[in-house]
Structures are given as structure tokens and as C-alpha cells.
Amino acid sequence: MMYERDVLAGNWRRPLKGTIPRVPAELDLVVEDASGGFCGAVVACDKEAVTLEDRFGRRRVFPLEPAAFLLEGKVVTLVRPASAPKGPRRSASGSIAVEGLRARVARESRIYVEGVHDAALVEKIWGHDLRVEGVVVEYLEGVDRLPEIVEEFAPGPGSRLGVLVDHLVDGSKESRIAARISSPHVLVVGHPFVDVWQAVKPSVLGIPAWPSVPRGVPWKEGVVSALGWRPDPAEAWQRILGSVRTYADLEPELLGPVEELIDFVTAPDQDD
């Protein structure tokens, strides 16, 4: 796509007041996400987000933020139309919601996450999809038990195991434990965050960034203290989880691994 000028030059997100047009997100309007480059046609819009579909049929949900899109190379703010475009209802993950869903019988395959908070976040965003597919999510209560759990699970072609690990970065304890798993029927993926709290975009909580916590200070307690919240991590988590509405509220470093795990445990050979 050719632009009349370099739209990224200067402080394009904060141009002079009144210079950014507000454009209704009508069905089939083709726009581009200004920060990520995803280009597609509007297929759905609500008061908080718009869903775009590209020419390959891939769909993504974007929040209706100021100056967040490009229309014919020009920065615009998408707004909900006076009469919102009607389309299929979407789940929190952006997939088409199955009306009158009756959860299918659970597969033998499972997805394991590290703890209760991870499981709650996965359920909030992907719970509908997982029930459609019959996938159960359980938690490890810490990655140290991973080799033991894999051995007990006895994965095979019809019973795959997907595992989501926190802080899966080179040289970490988590990466060393994950490297011990060699079964082709087990997929271990992870995100780089110290804790799944960080997978929630700071802007969703109205903070500029997640605070740095000094070494030796428990991470959750350090975050709560730095943010000036009540010193109750459980209450803080409910505040964080309650702020999440759709997958647009999460960082891509979590979205990709979770989607990969769902694809892995629902692969066609599951029903062989």
C-alpha cells in the first residue's frame, strides 16, 4: 500500500487537535492497524472493539483507540457506527461463538498451565473455544512437577499433552525443565513474562507499564506495592482479571502460545 507521506514520521499518535477524522466502522470498510500492519475488512464492531478479516480469511480484534488505524494511507479513528454492523457473535478469543453450545465429551488430550491464575485467564478468553473442542485445562502448581506429570499422563497419538510455562526464556529454570521433555505427543510452549499478570496489557489497567520488582522481593507483592494497591495479591488478581474483556487486552506473547497449544491438542489424529 502506498502512502501520501510517511505516516509514522513524528508524533503521529498525538497530532494537532481536530486533525484526525472519525470514521464509522461500517461493514466491509478496509483499514490497516497502524501499529502492527494487519490489513482487513470490518466484519464486526461493538462499543469496545472492531474485528478485521484479511484476504486470507484471518481475523483479528482491535480496540477502538484514537488514531489506531490507517484508511487509504491516512490516520483515522474508527468509531462504532450509529447502527452497529450485525454479524456473528464473537467469543472473547475472536472466534465465532457457537449458539446453544453443549460442550462435547472431553478429549483425552489436555492442556496444563502453571497455576490458578493462568487457568483463570485462559478460561476467560478461550473457555468457549475449549468447550466447543472438548479440551480440559488443568494446572501444574509449579513447573517443577512437569516431568512427573508427563510420565503419569502417558501421552500418545490420541492423548496429546500441551503445556504452557511461565518465564520460558533461555537459561531459566523453566527452560531447563522443559528441555527434559522429548515426547512427540507433548508440546511445551511458554511466554517470557515472570508471571501471567504481565500478559495483560498495562493500558487495560490504566498504568503506563508493569513495575520492575527488585531481586529478593516476591514479584506479586512487589507489583502491588509499587502500584499503590491494597496489599492483597488475591484482590489485585481479581482487579486484573476483571479488566480483561477480549484477547485484544492480552500481549501477543501469550496469545500465540495458547493458540498453538489448542491447535496441537485438537489436531485431526485426536479422533483416530
Side-chain angles (χ1 to χ4, degrees), residues 50 56 65 74 82 140 167 254 265:
V50 62
F56 301 106
E65 296 179 340
K74 298 179 181 178
L140 301 168
H167 199 228
L254 177 67
V265 299

Short mmCIF file of all heavy atoms in Angstrom, two decimals, residues 50 56 65 74 82 140 167 254 265:
data_model
loop_
_atom_site.label_atom_id
_atom_site.label_comp_id
_atom_site.label_asym_id
_atom_site.label_seq_id
_atom_site.Cartn_x
_atom_site.Cartn_y
_atom_site.Cartn_z
N VAL A 50 -13.22 -3.63 17.20
CA VAL A 50 -13.61 -3.92 15.83
C VAL A 50 -12.89 -5.17 15.38
O VAL A 50 -11.74 -5.41 15.75
CB VAL A 50 -13.28 -2.73 14.90
CG1 VAL A 50 -11.78 -2.45 14.85
CG2 VAL A 50 -13.80 -2.98 13.48
N PHE A 56 -6.88 -13.49 3.46
CA PHE A 56 -6.66 -14.92 3.64
C PHE A 56 -7.70 -15.53 4.59
O PHE A 56 -7.63 -16.70 4.94
CB PHE A 56 -5.26 -15.18 4.20
CG PHE A 56 -4.16 -14.66 3.31
CD1 PHE A 56 -3.45 -13.53 3.66
CD2 PHE A 56 -3.85 -15.31 2.12
CE1 PHE A 56 -2.44 -13.04 2.84
CE2 PHE A 56 -2.85 -14.83 1.29
CZ PHE A 56 -2.14 -13.69 1.65
N GLU A 65 -9.31 2.47 19.63
CA GLU A 65 -8.48 3.51 20.23
C GLU A 65 -8.29 4.67 19.26
O GLU A 65 -8.35 4.49 18.04
CB GLU A 65 -7.12 2.93 20.63
CG GLU A 65 -7.21 1.86 21.70
CD GLU A 65 -5.86 1.29 22.05
OE1 GLU A 65 -4.92 1.44 21.23
OE2 GLU A 65 -5.73 0.68 23.12
N LYS A 74 -4.11 7.19 5.41
CA LYS A 74 -4.27 8.32 6.33
C LYS A 74 -4.74 7.82 7.69
O LYS A 74 -5.58 6.92 7.79
CB LYS A 74 -5.27 9.32 5.76
CG LYS A 74 -4.83 9.93 4.44
CD LYS A 74 -5.87 10.89 3.90
CE LYS A 74 -5.44 11.50 2.56
NZ LYS A 74 -6.46 12.41 2.01
N ALA A 82 -23.55 4.37 13.97
CA ALA A 82 -24.81 4.65 14.64
C ALA A 82 -25.66 3.39 14.71
O ALA A 82 -26.31 3.10 15.72
CB ALA A 82 -25.56 5.76 13.90
N LEU A 140 -0.45 -27.19 36.90
CA LEU A 140 0.68 -27.95 37.42
C LEU A 140 0.98 -27.66 38.89
O LEU A 140 1.61 -28.46 39.55
CB LEU A 140 1.95 -27.62 36.61
CG LEU A 140 1.93 -27.89 35.11
CD1 LEU A 140 3.14 -27.24 34.46
CD2 LEU A 140 1.93 -29.38 34.85
N HIS A 167 7.63 -17.68 32.05
CA HIS A 167 9.05 -17.30 32.02
C HIS A 167 9.91 -18.34 31.29
O HIS A 167 10.97 -18.75 31.77
CB HIS A 167 9.57 -17.11 33.46
CG HIS A 167 10.83 -16.31 33.52
ND1 HIS A 167 11.94 -16.71 34.25
CD2 HIS A 167 11.18 -15.15 32.93
CE1 HIS A 167 12.91 -15.81 34.11
NE2 HIS A 167 12.46 -14.85 33.32
N LEU A 254 1.51 -14.06 24.77
CA LEU A 254 0.67 -15.09 25.37
C LEU A 254 -0.31 -15.65 24.36
O LEU A 254 -0.56 -16.87 24.33
CB LEU A 254 -0.09 -14.54 26.57
CG LEU A 254 -1.07 -15.54 27.23
CD1 LEU A 254 -0.30 -16.68 27.88
CD2 LEU A 254 -1.97 -14.86 28.25
N VAL A 265 -3.47 -29.87 20.53
CA VAL A 265 -4.25 -30.92 21.19
C VAL A 265 -5.56 -31.24 20.47
O VAL A 265 -6.22 -32.22 20.80
CB VAL A 265 -4.55 -30.56 22.67
CG1 VAL A 265 -3.27 -30.40 23.45
CG2 VAL A 265 -5.41 -29.32 22.78
#
